[in-house]
């Protein structure tokens, strides 16, 4: 699919290196191109007007309509209406039990149970900075404009409930006004 009929979306994607199917990104490219088929005509029109005002968070552009993720010469879109859960993840890297660095990212889950990772930011091993938490709060303020039911944050009980009854969880998120 080309983005020529949507010059602002196309301009943003080109500014991030464009899209190209290569030897090492075939699956990611195909998945990304398939994701654009989930948007309706009205969502494309809204997204076209929102791209210039969207917030760049890690490797994504967040708007009230959708999140565009650009990496490895691919562009994937996740409609905000499909997002049900978002939370941060921090991985501490150690050498001989001494923290050397921390990797921060955001995980989001859509209504089909598929996860997508936003960003990989690294801080020092003893750093108190929380860039993923700050980014998640920014995403929350943007996405709550169009979808109020998204669950933010992680706990083990919630993860178990989602794993045991995904459809019930999605129905709950959809019911929140």
């Amino acid at each position: 699919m080309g983005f020529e009929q949507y010059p602002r979306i196309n301009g943003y994607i080109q500014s991030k290196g464009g899209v190209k199917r290569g030897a090492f990104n075939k699956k990611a490219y195909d998945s990304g191109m398939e994701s654009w088929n989930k948007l309706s005509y009205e969502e494309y029109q809204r997204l076209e007007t929102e791209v210039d005002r969207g917030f760049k968070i890690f490797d994504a552009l967040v708007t009230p309509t959708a999140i565009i993720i650009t990496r490895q010469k691919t562009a994937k879109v996740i409609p905000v209406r499909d997002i049900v859960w978002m939370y941060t993840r921090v991985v501490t890297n150690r050498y001989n039990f001494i923290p050397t660095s921390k990797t921060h990212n955001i995980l989001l889950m859509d209504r089909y149970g598929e996860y997508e990772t936003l960003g990989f930011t690294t801080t020092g091993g003893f750093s108190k900075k929380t860039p993923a938490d700050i980014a998640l709060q920014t995403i929350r303020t943007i996405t709550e404009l169009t979808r109020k039911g998204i669950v933010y944050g992680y706990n083990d009980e919630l993860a178990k409930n989602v794993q045991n009854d995904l459809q019930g969880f999605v129905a709950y998120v959809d019911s929140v006004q």
Side-chain angles (χ1 to χ4, degrees), residues 30-104:
D30 293 341
S31 172
M33 290 297 106
E34 184 180 307
S35 73
W36 289 93
N37 295 332
K38 293 180 182 178
L39 291 180
S40 67
Y41 176 76
E42 292 80 19
E43 288 173 318
Y44 268 111
Q45 296 301 317
R46 280 197 314 265
L47 186 57
E48 176 71 10
T49 62
E50 295 169 350
V51 164
D52 295 335
R53 298 171 303 188
F55 283 86
K56 292 172 182 71
I57 297 175
F58 298 136
D59 55 353
L61 179 75
V62 180
T63 72
T65 301
I67 297 175
I68 302 173
I69 302 167
T70 53
R71 63 173 84 108
Q72 300 173 352
K73 293 281 193 184
T74 63
K76 184 174 189 171
V77 66
I78 302 168
V80 170
R81 64 175 158 74
D82 285 347
I83 299 171
V84 293
W85 187 21
M86 297 179 83
Y87 59 91
T88 61
R89 178 173 60 181
V90 179
V91 177
T92 302
N93 305 305
R94 298 174 187 274
Y95 182 75
N96 289 337
F97 304 105
I98 299 171
T100 57
S101 65
K102 292 180 182 179
T103 305
H104 305 261

Side-chain angles (χ1 to χ4, degrees), residues 85-88 151-163 169:
W85 187 21
M86 297 179 83
Y87 59 91
T88 61
V151 176
Y152 299 91
Y154 181 89
N155 67 46
D156 291 333
E157 182 179 335
L158 178 61
K160 188 180 283 188
N161 289 338
V162 170
Q163 184 178 10
F169 181 70

